């Protein structure tokens, strides 16, 4: 009981050093409980309908949060023990055994974890309904959400955090029991070693710039056309970031310390000297924060960017509102369903006749299957889809080539020749225009050659009946409101019609991308809270070690205002550098992802960077205020 009271008093008196850690742990509990509540919620499973399998995304998101939370708590606990070794040594000097000190540390961790768990669960119970409503809003599902508590979610969350706590408790006990009294005292004696600079540092610094520069170049220019460059880009950027923090920044700090003309101006001597001796011990943490923040930014940009472009992506995949292979049974069923939905207004109809023929591919120079369509039909289809694309063929030898998306620019096939083979005869066509946007649903689409009407009529006369494909397609006015009509078509049309609708693809895509965006928001929030908290309590602990230095400075005449200015510069670099490197590294990655996924994600990039910067600034000012208070005590 005495040890418990002692642990409780320690936590109470030093809570300002632990609040960020406590906050991040509580948020981890809250998010895991929220995700598990969604997984076990039968109402959500029913509303997901045909894409119920995507509930696995929440399991994946929860797993990522558990892994990151475990790493964060492990790292934090190791740092806390290291920073308190002198305190533990004092307890042992006063008569406590290493077993009792381990028990004290165990109880302090238990108090934090229990409080964090209770806080996270309480907030989970309070706000789960609100966030499920937000999820429904994002995936455009209209359903009532009732308040409920989920015992399965609470049980699983408690088991996960009990496992994490057990690991850190064992780890903490091992660290304390394996340290002798003299080692515990000596551990608190900080050996101040400045950044180490040599010729190798310069070489590695240059290598970091080369790795980052070449990685950014590959990401922005090469990666969109070659997916296999992704592992190379990741390796170059990670190596570049690590070398940048270990060598480039160290060299810049060293140069600033050697620049005596500027060194003695104002408080520059204090801030530069502090960085010179402080930076070396923070290299590992700053590198990890920069890398994880880059990953978090890229994930968020992809999730939010994809969600914001869901409608446009669906219209690319299925440019018609409804499309099916033409049969008498399919036509009759379609008309019957249309009569049933009297509010559904058909804006345009197209009866599309396509030839499925053999030809020689212009790039690979090998035989393959092609669709062939006439110019007037192709242009009419584009007009009905409000698409400005038109085929303008001047002679019977000209053609327009619609490629399958393969990350190869359409300009590369311009003026090349494509051969169409039919009953032993070859038609040599010159490609005068090209793109890779499907004009029918991608489900039915293949590479297409657009030819003059006269050439098409000749081809259709000489082709067999089996090579002719008849497709009926229509554009519905306000097809975003065609949910019931679309579902009736999917469920009642004959299977051989292979009917597809825009709304069906849009609804499924919205659910998938909405879930990804929802998960991404919480994972991103957890990342930034954890990384901000790591910097906060690391610098706050270091402030306690620096109290004597600043006390000496104040005795020799340095004002509190000057000390605050010096500390603010030091902390701005330690907070700002990882964020700046992450923002720069995420930019070419976002550009490449946008091109590969046919998305315009740069707006999402700007908004997410602004939000991240604002949150980091909040952590910066809180840390600065806490740092100043600590050294002034």
């Amino acid at each position: 009981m005495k040890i418990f009271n002692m642990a409780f008093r320690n936590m109470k008196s030093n809570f300002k050093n632990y609040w960020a850690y406590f906050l991040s742990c509580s948020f981890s509990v809250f998010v895991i409980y929220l995700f598990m509540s969604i997984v076990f919620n039968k109402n959500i499973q029913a509303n997901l309908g045909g894409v119920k399998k995507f509930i696995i995304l929440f399991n994946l998101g929860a797993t990522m949060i558990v892994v990151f939370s475990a790493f964060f708590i492990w790292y934090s606990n190791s740092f806390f023990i290291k920073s308190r070794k002198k305190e533990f040594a004092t307890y042992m000097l006063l008569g406590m055994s290493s077993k009792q000190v381990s028990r004290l540390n165990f109880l302090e961790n238990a108090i934090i974890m229990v409080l964090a768990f209770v806080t996270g669960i309480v907030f989970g119970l309070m706000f789960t309904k609100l966030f499920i409503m937000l999820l429904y809003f994002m995936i455009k599902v209209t359903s009532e959400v009732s308040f409920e508590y989920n015992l399965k979610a609470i049980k699983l969350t408690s088991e996960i955090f009990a496992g994490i706590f057990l690991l850190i408790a064992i780890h903490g006990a091992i660290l304390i029991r394996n340290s002798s009294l003299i080692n515990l005292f000596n551990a608190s004696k900080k050996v101040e070693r400045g950044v180490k600079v040599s010729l190798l540092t310069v070489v590695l610094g240059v290598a970091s710039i080369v790795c980052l520069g070449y990685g950014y170049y590959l990401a922005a220019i090469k990666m969109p056309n070659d997916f296999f460059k992704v592992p190379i880009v990741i390796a170059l950027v990670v190596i570049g970031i690590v070398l940048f923090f270990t060598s480039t920044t160290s060299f810049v700090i060293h140069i600033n310390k050697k620049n005596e003309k500027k060194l003695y101006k104002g408080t520059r001597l204090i801030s530069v000297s502090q960085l010179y001796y402080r930076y070396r011990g923070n290299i590992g943490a700053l590198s990890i924060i920069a890398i994880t923040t880059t990953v978090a930014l890229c994930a968020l940009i992809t999730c939010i960017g994809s969600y914001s472009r869901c409608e446009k992506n669906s219209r690319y995949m299925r440019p018609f509102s409804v499309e099916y292979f033409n049969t008498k049974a399919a036509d009759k069923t379609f008309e019957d369903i249309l009569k049933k939905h009297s509010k559904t207004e058909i804006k345009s109809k197209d009866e599309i006749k396509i030839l499925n023929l053999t030809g020689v591919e212009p790039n690979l120079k090998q035989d393959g299957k092609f669709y062939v369509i006439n110019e007037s039909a192709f242009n009419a289809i584009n007009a009905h889809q409000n698409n400005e694309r038109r085929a303008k063929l001047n002679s019977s030898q000209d053609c327009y080539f619609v490629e399958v998306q393969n990350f190869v620019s359409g300009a590369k096939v311009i003026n090349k020749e494509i051969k169409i083979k039919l009953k032993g005869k070859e038609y040599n066509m010159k490609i005068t225009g090209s793109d890779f946007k499907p004009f029918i649903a991608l489900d039915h689409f293949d590479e297409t050659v657009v030819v003059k009407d006269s050439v098409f009529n000749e081809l259709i006369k000489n082709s067999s009946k089996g090579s002719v494909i008849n497709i009926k397609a229509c554009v519905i006015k306000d097809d975003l409101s065609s949910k019931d009509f679309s579902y009736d078509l999917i469920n009642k049309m004959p299977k051989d019609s292979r009917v597809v609708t825009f709304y069906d693809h849009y609804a499924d895509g919205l659910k998938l991308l909405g879930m990804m965006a929802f998960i991404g928001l919480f994972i991103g929030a957890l990342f930034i809270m954890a990384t901000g908290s790591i910097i906060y309590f690391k610098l706050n602990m270091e402030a306690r070690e620096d109290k004597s230095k600043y006390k000496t400075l104040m005795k020799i005449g340095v004002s509190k205002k000057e000390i605050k200015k010096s500390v603010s510069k030091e902390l701005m670099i330690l907070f700002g550098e990882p964020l700046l490197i992450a923002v720069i590294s995420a930019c070419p990655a976002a550009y490449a992802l946008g091109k590969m996924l046919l998305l315009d994600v740069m707006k999402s990039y700007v908004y997410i960077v602004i939000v991240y910067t604002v949150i980091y600034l909040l952590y910066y000012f809180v840390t600065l205020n806490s740092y100043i208070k600590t050294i002034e005590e």
Side-chain angles (χ1 to χ4, degrees):
M1 183 60 71
K2 289 183 179 180
I3 292 180
F4 178 82
N5 292 334
M6 188 176 180
F8 187 78
R9 284 197 301 270
N10 282 347
M11 295 301 305
K12 186 177 179 182
S13 60
N14 293 300
F15 188 73
K16 69 174 184 178
N17 298 321
Y18 296 95
W19 73 266
Y21 175 58
F22 167 79
L23 184 65
S24 297
C25 289
S26 300
F27 188 72
S28 298
V29 175
F30 165 71
V31 175
I32 293 175
Y33 172 76
L34 171 64
F35 281 20
M36 291 300 101
S37 295
I38 291 172
V39 169
F40 295 126
N41 191 306
K42 292 181 180 179
N43 184 37
I44 293 176
Q45 292 179 9
N47 281 308
L48 289 177
V51 290
K52 185 165 58 177
K53 59 184 179 181
F54 292 133
I55 200 71
I56 197 171
L57 285 173
F58 284 98
N59 284 316
L60 180 61
T63 302
M64 292 175 65
I65 289 170
V66 169
V67 171
F68 185 74
S69 298
F71 167 76
F72 167 68
I73 294 169
W74 179 284
Y75 176 89
S76 303
N77 186 58
S78 301
F79 187 78
F80 285 145
I81 291 173
K82 183 180 177 181
S83 65
R84 298 182 64 202
K85 281 188 174 181
K86 184 178 179 180
E87 181 184 339
F88 292 152
T90 304
Y91 292 148
M92 293 170 69
L93 192 65
L94 293 173
M96 289 178 69
S97 65
S98 59
K99 185 177 180 180
Q100 288 175 314
V101 173
S102 296
R103 193 182 303 165
L104 176 66
N105 181 65
F106 173 86
L107 287 172
E108 288 181 2
N109 274 310
I111 292 170
I112 294 178
M113 295 295 283
V114 169
L115 289 175
F117 178 79
V118 172
T119 304
I121 293 297
V122 168
F123 277 93
L125 293 171
M126 290 171 60
F127 294 106
T128 295
K129 178 180 176 179
L130 174 65
F131 284 108
I132 291 177
M133 290 171 64
L134 173 63
L135 174 63
Y136 279 178
F137 173 78
M138 292 176 72
I139 63 177
K140 299 294 188 291
V141 168
T142 53
S143 177
E144 289 187 8
V145 181
S146 59
F147 173 82
E148 63 179 56
Y149 60 91
N150 196 304
L151 291 177
K152 284 185 179 179
I154 295 174
K155 182 182 177 183
L156 186 56
T157 306
S158 63
E159 289 172 353
I160 289 169
F161 266 76
I164 295 173
F165 173 69
L166 183 62
L167 286 175
I168 65 169
I170 294 171
H171 179 236
I174 292 171
L175 286 178
I176 294 171
R177 292 195 182 190
N178 288 346
S179 299
S180 64
L181 185 61
I182 188 67
N183 287 335
L184 288 172
F185 269 115
N186 289 335
S188 68
K189 295 180 180 179
K190 184 177 54 178
V191 179
E192 296 200 326
R193 294 179 294 174
V195 292
K196 191 176 181 181
V197 175
S198 63
L199 179 60
L200 180 61
T201 308
V202 178
V203 172
L204 293 177
V206 173
S208 73
I209 303 299
V210 172
C211 285
L212 288 173
Y214 189 55
Y216 298 157
Y217 166 76
L218 288 179
I221 307 300
K222 299 293 184 181
M223 197 167 74
N225 298 329
D226 186 357
F227 186 77
F228 294 103
K229 290 282 193 300
V230 173
I232 299 172
V233 170
I234 292 173
L236 285 170
V237 172
V238 169
I239 292 169
I241 288 175
V242 173
L243 291 179
F244 185 87
F245 280 94
T246 56
S247 301
T248 308
T249 307
S250 297
F251 181 72
V252 171
I253 293 172
H254 177 77
I255 292 298
N256 273 277
K257 191 172 184 299
K258 294 296 181 182
N259 188 354
E260 295 183 359
K261 288 184 179 180
K262 294 183 178 180
L263 187 64
Y264 296 103
K265 290 183 178 179
T267 59
R268 188 179 177 84
L269 174 63
I270 302 172
S271 55
V272 171
S273 297
Q274 272 291 91
L275 268 177
Y276 183 79
Y277 290 106
R278 177 70 66 203
Y279 183 76
R280 191 171 177 179
N282 286 296
I283 288 174
L286 296 179
S287 301
I288 292 171
I289 288 170
I291 292 168
T292 54
T293 304
T294 302
V295 173
L297 285 174
C298 290
L300 267 175
I301 291 162
T302 303
C303 292
I304 303 300
S306 299
Y307 174 74
S308 65
R309 305 282 290 183
C310 184
E311 181 184 344
K312 189 169 184 178
N313 180 57
S314 291
R315 294 204 183 279
Y316 175 87
M317 303 289 283
R318 294 182 181 176
F320 281 107
S321 303
V322 180
E323 185 179 311
Y324 61 92
F325 286 99
N326 190 15
T327 63
K328 286 184 179 180
D331 272 346
K332 185 178 185 308
T333 306
F334 177 83
E335 293 299 331
D336 290 344
I337 294 172
L338 183 61
K339 287 177 183 177
K340 178 183 173 184
H341 297 272
S342 56
K343 292 183 179 180
T344 302
E345 184 179 342
I346 303 296
K347 192 176 178 182
S348 66
K349 284 185 179 181
D350 285 283
E351 295 188 11
I352 306 168
K353 194 180 291 292
I354 298 173
L355 289 174
N356 188 11
L357 303 176
T358 303
V360 180
E361 207 277 345
N363 279 320
L364 300 177
K365 302 295 182 184
Q366 62 184 28
D367 287 356
K369 287 288 185 177
F370 291 96
Y371 284 168
V372 180
I373 189 172
N374 58 311
E375 180 183 11
S376 59
F378 180 76
N379 289 339
I381 288 169
N382 282 284
H384 293 156
Q385 294 172 359
N386 291 324
N387 191 341
E388 294 181 358
R389 173 180 60 176
R390 299 290 186 274
K392 297 178 181 179
L393 308 177
N394 297 320
S395 71
S396 58
Q397 281 75 43
D398 291 346
C399 73
Y400 191 94
F401 187 49
V402 185
E403 295 183 78
V404 171
Q405 171 63 15
N406 58 2
F407 306 119
V408 177
S409 172
K412 291 184 179 180
V413 299
I414 300 296
N415 295 323
K416 286 189 176 182
E417 190 176 81
I418 187 169
K419 293 181 180 180
I420 300 173
K421 297 180 179 180
L422 181 62
K423 291 184 177 180
K425 185 177 179 180
E426 290 186 352
Y427 294 80
N428 296 320
M429 315 298 296
K430 181 183 177 182
I431 301 173
T432 58
S434 178
D435 66 70
F436 46 77
K437 178 179 171 59
F439 61 93
I440 56 175
L442 201 61
D443 313 63
H444 303 151
F445 179 73
D446 205 341
E447 289 187 314
T448 303
V449 181
V450 184
V451 299
K452 294 283 284 184
D453 287 16
S454 57
V455 176
F456 184 80
N457 291 333
E458 182 182 342
L459 290 170
I460 207 166
K461 283 180 183 178
N462 297 324
S463 61
S464 61
K465 191 174 181 180
S467 62
V468 179
I469 299 172
N470 291 298
I471 294 176
K472 277 201 172 182
C474 64
V475 175
I476 298 173
K477 188 176 181 180
D478 190 20
D479 53 7
L480 287 172
S481 302
S482 63
K483 175 182 177 181
D484 295 336
F485 178 62
S486 174
Y487 285 177
D488 269 358
L489 289 173
I490 297 297
N491 294 323
K492 296 178 181 179
M493 288 283 281
K495 289 184 178 180
D496 60 354
S497 69
R498 292 171 60 187
V499 64
V500 293
T501 68
F502 158 77
Y503 186 87
D504 183 53
H505 188 279
Y506 172 69
D508 284 356
L510 198 64
K511 288 175 182 177
L512 173 62
L513 298 175
M515 289 178 195
M516 289 176 61
F518 184 84
I519 293 168
L521 286 172
F522 281 96
I523 291 177
L526 181 63
F527 264 65
I528 195 168
M529 286 183 69
T531 52
S533 298
I534 286 171
I535 301 177
Y536 167 83
F537 63 69
K538 199 172 192 305
L539 292 177
N540 204 45
M541 295 295 181
E542 290 174 354
R544 293 160 64 185
E545 299 172 355
D546 289 339
K547 286 174 66 173
S548 58
K549 289 182 182 178
Y550 288 106
K551 188 175 180 180
T552 303
L553 286 171
M554 285 187 279
K555 283 181 178 180
I556 63 174
V558 181
S559 67
K560 290 184 180 180
K561 185 178 180 181
E562 289 173 321
I563 288 175
K564 185 174 181 179
K565 185 178 179 182
S566 170
V567 170
S568 64
K569 288 179 181 178
E570 179 192 348
L571 266 58
M572 179 60 75
I573 292 172
L574 295 176
F575 263 97
E577 189 182 23
L579 179 63
L580 180 63
I581 294 298
V583 167
I584 294 171
S585 300
C587 185
Y591 176 78
L593 287 168
K595 291 195 72 175
M596 292 171 70
L597 301 175
L598 302 176
L599 298 169
D600 180 14
V601 298
M602 296 314 291
K603 282 185 179 178
S604 301
Y605 166 80
V606 172
Y607 295 144
I608 290 168
V609 166
I610 290 172
V611 172
Y612 251 70
T613 304
V614 169
I615 296 174
Y616 258 92
L617 281 173
L618 289 174
Y619 267 99
Y620 164 75
F621 285 115
V622 170
T623 306
L624 177 61
N625 183 58
S626 178
Y627 197 105
I628 295 299
K629 282 185 177 179
T630 300
I631 63 177
E632 287 181 349
E633 285 176 352

